[in-house]
Every structure is written in C-alpha cells, then in structure tokens.
Amino acid sequence: MTPRPHRAHLPEERTESTAPLPPPELTEAECRRCGTYIAGLDGRYACGVCGWVNDHSEGHRRLPRADEDPDRPLKGRRRPKQLPGPPPEPVPGP
C-alpha cells in the first residue's frame, strides 16, 4: 500500500476557479499484476480481472474537488433520503 502524502507534499494550492474542467482523457495500459490490457481515465486504472488498482496520484492531472462537480447538490440542500424497502410479507397463519 502506498503511504499518503504529507501536507507539505500536496499539489498546488487550491484556488477558486469558475472555468469548467476539461473532459477526461481515455488512456490504455497493461495491468501491472496480470498483464491484461486495460483502459482508464487520465492514467488511473483498475483491472477487472485481478482487482489491481493504481494509486490516484499516478494520474495525468489532478482530480476535481467536490465543489467542481456539476452534479453536486446546491449548498444547503441535502440529497433525498432513500425510501425504505418493500414491507415484509405477512406470515400465513395455521
């Protein structure tokens, strides 16, 4: 397992930006564990055969922050609660 970087090693300082992020680039490589040909986004891969995943820091560009997500709910709004499953069926009597 790769250790997490310390605060001093984090990438560039975060600044507020209103510019849209560029679309992710489809990249291809061989799995480092089993050699299967895999595809990923911006150099981040996960193998569906053996389960190998590369570290997020190996990607070609930074990951977007939560506030850059266009599908994020507006501030002060919460996601709707999940409805409970169907009620249990009654047990037939004797």
Side-chain angles (χ1 to χ4, degrees):
M1 181 180 222
T2 306
R4 288 186 171 187
H6 297 289
R7 188 106 176 117
H9 299 293
L10 289 177
E12 72 278 351
E13 191 64 32
R14 294 180 178 169
T15 58
E16 296 303 318
S17 172
T18 58
L21 291 173
E25 177 186 353
L26 185 62
T27 54
E28 300 168 338
E30 283 188 13
C31 172
R32 293 182 195 159
R33 186 184 294 162
C34 70
T36 301
Y37 191 70
I38 55 178
L41 295 176
D42 293 331
R44 293 177 178 91
Y45 304 104
C47 179
V49 176
C50 70
W52 172 81
V53 178
N54 72 331
D55 189 70
H56 68 88
S57 64
E58 296 178 34
H60 299 161
R61 55 184 152 181
R62 72 172 182 83
L63 292 170
R65 300 186 319 258
D67 60 344
E68 296 171 327
D69 182 359
D71 297 326
R72 183 178 184 194
L74 298 175
K75 199 168 204 158
R77 295 190 63 196
R78 295 184 184 170
R79 293 182 185 228
K81 291 184 179 180
Q82 293 286 335
L83 295 175
E89 294 186 24
V91 179

